[in-house]
Amino acid sequence: MIRILDRARPDILTLRPYEHAAWEPSLERLHANEMPWRATEDATHAGLNRYPEPQPGELIQHLAELYGVEPRNVLAGRGSDEGIDLLVRAFCRAGTDSVVICPPTFGMYKVSARIQGADVIEVPLIKEQGYALDVERVLAAWNENVKLVFLCSPNNPTGNVLDRNAIESVCRELADKAIVVVDEAYIEFAGVDSIAPALQQFENLVVLRTLSKAYALAGARCGALIAHPQIVELLARVITPYALPVQTIEAVMTFTNSTHRADAAKRIKTILGERTRLMSELSRSRAIRHVWASDANFVLIECVDAQAVMQAAIGAGLIIRDLRSSPALPDCLRISVGTAEQNTRLLRAIDAIAATAGDAA
Ligand code: PMP
């Protein structure tokens, strides 16, 4: 057993997992209490009357190829949200263990930890250095009960990629001590390589990838957790038995084939062009105090009057993300890069308030 697994919950390590109906496609199924007929007009390939294959072999192979790893490194789940939840449940004892997060960051790390009854230690990113990772403080925050460190790169909502050497230092220093989860939900927009090949060096590294962003499949709910095979095996004991719906499996297989990958690449290129336009036009607006450089498909802005910008967006029929409830992000909003027409509509609405503010001044 790899040493980092000593950090998992002892009761999960010894858990006898649920024995789902055996996957034997060559035999006719009278072992899962399913209906032998499809529902009328069920046009799926596999048939919705049948439970799906748990961790479908073809899908796992496909995701492994997509992300440049081995199939045994991949656990497929319902979005990266499920990967986050599985990690917290498998590693953190309620009331005893904790996770480290680096705010401002994606909210689900904290929520999943709290649901599990795990404590959350916050080590803020360094704002003055473009929201860089504070390696020293992350390492100093470790104690015997810290099981997971969540790093998000590119980080949501600040948009920046974390320094690769900094992430690797955390992995190295916390080898055998904590799992380092690197959430790469937005990496396809960043023009940098995934850290996944570093799995060869770091048994405590877990990488999260998602089909929700670059592949336009948020509604399909599918993500890949990429890790050492023994971590994948452990989490496969915890995941619900038939986690991925038939439609999800079929949608991912179809919409990430070579034709669709080429389409995805074109869409990403368009988003990057629009991101540049949004960033430069927002930077010129008198209604915006600061625009952070983004490596993702969204832009973080600090407004002179965030309420006015929210209202202007709504008035233009658009909703943007209000981040003001986050203490680290006063007056901040996050804009997902939309179509050229949507971005133009938003920019015009913001221009209009800037003009009004100018009139009043
Ligand atoms: N990680 C990050 C950083 C995110 O921003 C999101 C979604 N907003 C997720 C994970 C979850 O994505 P999904 O569950 O759709 O894969």
Side-chain angles (χ1 to χ4, degrees), residues 78-81 84 106 109 152 156 183 185-186 210 212-213 221:
R78 288 160 295 180
S80 346
D81 283 336
I84 296 163
F106 181 49
Y109 314 137
C152 187
N156 178 7
D183 183 343
Y186 299 97
T210 181
S212 295
K213 314 291 177 183
R221 307 304 299 127

Side-chain angles (χ1 to χ4, degrees), residues 16-273:
R16 221 176 120 215
Y18 172 70
E19 288 175 29
H20 53 72
W23 185 256
E24 295 287 358
S26 61
L27 301 175
E28 291 174 41
R29 293 169 65 95
L30 297 181
H31 70 333
N33 301 347
E34 300 156 338
M35 281 301 265
W37 312 280
R38 287 168 176 247
T40 313
E41 295 180 14
D42 169 0
T44 58
H45 179 67
L48 293 174
N49 54 320
R50 303 298 182 191
Y51 285 101
E53 182 183 0
Q55 293 302 304
E58 220 187 339
L59 179 76
I60 297 292
Q61 179 87 41
H62 185 80
L63 291 173
E65 188 258 318
L66 188 64
Y67 295 130
V69 294
E70 295 298 319
R72 61 204 190 106
N73 295 121
V74 176
L75 184 84
R78 288 160 295 180
S80 346
D81 283 336
E82 183 155 46
I84 296 163
D85 181 59
L86 290 172
L87 286 161
V88 172
R89 284 197 286 146
F91 281 85
C92 295
R93 292 165 297 175
T96 304
D97 289 333
S98 37
V99 309
V100 170
I101 65 168
C102 300
T105 194
F106 181 49
M108 276 310 290
Y109 314 137
K110 186 190 254 186
V111 171
S112 288
R114 289 270 156 82
I115 291 170
Q116 174 62 14
D119 206 2
V120 178
I121 300 173
E122 300 197 355
V123 179
L125 297 171
I126 309 168
K127 183 176 179 183
E128 301 68 33
Q129 294 174 24
Y131 290 110
L133 187 60
D134 193 337
V135 175
E136 269 177 36
R137 286 193 58 207
V138 167
L139 299 179
W142 186 85
N143 66 58
E144 193 52 41
N145 295 332
V146 169
K147 299 299 181 67
L148 304 168
V149 175
F150 284 101
L151 306 178
C152 187
S153 180
N155 185 49
N156 178 7
T158 57
N160 58 302
V161 161
L162 302 182
D163 180 68
R164 172 73 178 249
N165 292 329
I167 300 177
E168 292 196 3
S169 300
V170 175
C171 292
R172 192 172 306 108
E173 297 299 323
L174 297 183
D176 303 340
K177 289 181 166 174
I179 296 276
V180 179
V181 186
V182 182
D183 183 343
E184 295 185 334
Y186 299 97
I187 195 155
E188 291 91 344
F189 302 97
V192 299
D193 291 335
S194 166
I195 198 168
L199 285 178
Q200 306 285 351
Q201 285 158 264
F202 305 117
E203 287 175 349
N204 60 332
L205 172 64
V206 173
V207 180
L208 300 176
R209 302 291 302 260
T210 181
L211 282 303
S212 295
K213 314 291 177 183
Y215 288 97
L217 293 175
R221 307 304 299 127
C222 185
L225 181 146
I226 299 170
H228 188 284
Q230 290 183 29
I231 297 176
V232 169
E233 271 166 40
L234 181 81
L235 300 177
R237 291 157 175 262
V238 181
I239 197 168
T240 192
Y242 307 98
L244 290 166
V246 163
Q247 297 104 319
T248 299
I249 299 166
E250 295 184 4
V252 173
M253 293 299 294
T254 303
F255 293 117
T256 57
N257 68 18
S258 54
T259 313
H260 287 282
R261 281 183 212 184
D263 286 351
K266 278 189 217 143
R267 281 193 300 263
I268 290 169
K269 215 170 150 213
T270 307
I271 289 290
L272 298 189

Side-chain angles (χ1 to χ4, degrees), residues 306-316 318 353:
Q307 185 60 25
V309 175
M310 278 302 287
Q311 286 307 325
I314 291 169
L318 300 160
I353 51 165

